[in-house]
Amino acid sequence: MNTIIRNSVLGIAGLAFAGGVAAGPMTDTAHTSAPSVDTTAVAVAAVQADKPDMGKLVPHGLQGTQSRIDLSDEQVGNVKAIIAATKKAGMDERAAVVSIATALQESKLENLGHLGDRNDHDSQGLFQQRPSSGWGTVEQITDPEYSTTAFLKGLKQVDGWQDMPLTKAAQTVQVSAYPDHYAQWEQQAADLVAEHWNS
């Protein structure tokens, strides 16, 4: 009985082999019939999926006319430092937007030292924080990580800052003479966070 089964299997295998030989060798067209995948589109979709949602970055809509400046490598480095400090503080992308918009208004994202007569009292660094107001030493407030952490500590103490327009949240921390000026930087700040949050 085993011999009959074995002979049958061998016979079927022989027919399959003969059919393959009769059909001839496979041509290249058999390999190209599968649909091609646009790897560029897949890569772009993956990058877009990694970016924070703009609705989360700007949850209250933009207020007023928006301003925008071109950034140097140093300014982009300061953006990345603000984002890194925000993550280290355990705060989210919206906190980074508020921080970057504030630094855009206060220093145009430049880590400013004392400006002499042009200076607002003794304000220095990205956030124009003042040693005389208890923000820290000159060395501390001109360190991007320290100054961002100090700003975020103040932001955390603002009850309901997440539900406020950006300019109100920033002003509550900064106590600026121009409280509405932070609003103009919200779009650029959101774009910078979208670009660099996961980079």
Side-chain angles (χ1 to χ4, degrees), residues 6 8 55 69 77 79 83 85-86 91-93 101 103 106-107 115 120 122 127-128 130 135 140 155 157 159 171 179:
R6 188 176 63 221
S8 298
I69 58 171
V79 166
I83 289 172
T86 304
M91 296 183 78
D92 66 6
E93 298 94 324
E106 296 291 353
S107 68
L115 301 177
D120 177 20
D122 54 344
F127 295 89
Q128 290 294 279
R130 298 176 59 190
W135 284 101
Q140 288 172 324
L155 188 63
Q157 293 172 0
D159 208 20
Q171 169 63 8

Side-chain angles (χ1 to χ4, degrees), residues 58 62-71 97-109 166-167 180-192:
V58 186
L62 299 172
Q63 295 182 335
T65 304
Q66 295 296 295
S67 298
R68 184 172 289 271
I69 58 171
D70 293 329
L71 301 183
V97 172
V98 175
S99 300
I100 291 170
T102 302
L104 276 163
Q105 173 58 30
E106 296 291 353
S107 68
K108 302 298 183 281
L109 286 166
L166 180 144
T167 197
D180 298 325
H181 286 194
Y182 301 106
Q184 67 185 310
W185 302 106
E186 188 163 9
Q187 184 64 66
Q188 184 167 15
D191 291 343
L192 289 167

Side-chain angles (χ1 to χ4, degrees), residues 1-8:
M1 184 67 174
N2 287 340
T3 304
I4 295 170
I5 292 172
R6 188 176 63 221
N7 287 342
S8 298

Side-chain angles (χ1 to χ4, degrees), residues 32-56:
T32 58
S33 61
S36 63
V37 176
D38 183 352
T39 54
T40 304
V42 171
V44 168
V47 168
Q48 288 173 343
D50 285 346
K51 288 188 175 185
D53 177 67
M54 197 56 72
K56 184 174 183 181

Side-chain angles (χ1 to χ4, degrees), residues 124-135:
Q124 297 185 56
L126 293 173
F127 295 89
Q128 290 294 279
Q129 295 158 330
R130 298 176 59 190
S132 62
S133 295
W135 284 101

Side-chain angles (χ1 to χ4, degrees), residues 50 52 79-97 99 145 148-149 152 156 193-199:
D50 285 346
V79 166
K80 291 179 178 179
I82 290 171
I83 289 172
T86 304
K87 289 180 175 181
K88 191 172 180 180
M91 296 183 78
D92 66 6
E93 298 94 324
R94 178 63 179 167
V97 172
S99 300
E145 181 180 348
T148 302
T149 303
L152 292 170
K156 281 181 183 178
V193 173
E195 182 179 353
H196 297 292
W197 184 261
N198 291 319
S199 65

Side-chain angles (χ1 to χ4, degrees), residues 141-142 145:
I141 63 177
T142 53
E145 181 180 348

